[in-house]
Amino acid sequence: MTTLEVGNLGGLVFFFILIMVGPPILLSLFGLIVRKNNPKAAKVLFILAGLYLLVGLGICGSLMM
């Protein structure tokens, strides 16, 4: 049996990092935009961004280890 050789995984690592921090950044930006008109919705967006970051760093971070 031959093993498969893995080449450059830089793109995969970048993809995981993008999944970890991309959506929380977007949710935070939307929260900053919405904060003037609807502070309650902005608070919900900030909480969702924090939760997504916490879960994303936990799951994707453990996959990257």
Side-chain angles (χ1 to χ4, degrees):
M1 265 191 153
T2 61
T3 60
L4 295 175
E5 291 187 27
V6 178
N8 185 9
L9 295 178
L12 188 62
V13 171
F14 178 72
F15 179 70
F16 276 137
I17 291 173
L18 189 65
I19 288 176
M20 282 192 290
V21 295
I25 290 172
L26 288 176
L27 285 171
S28 296
L29 289 175
F30 288 147
L32 288 173
I33 293 170
V34 172
R35 186 171 62 178
K36 292 180 182 178
N37 296 333
N38 197 350
K40 283 189 177 185
K43 184 186 258 187
V44 170
L45 286 172
F46 289 137
I47 290 171
L48 285 175
L51 285 174
Y52 194 104
L53 185 64
L54 182 69
V55 171
L57 287 175
I59 292 173
C60 290
S62 67
L63 285 174
M64 290 177 67
M65 288 290 176

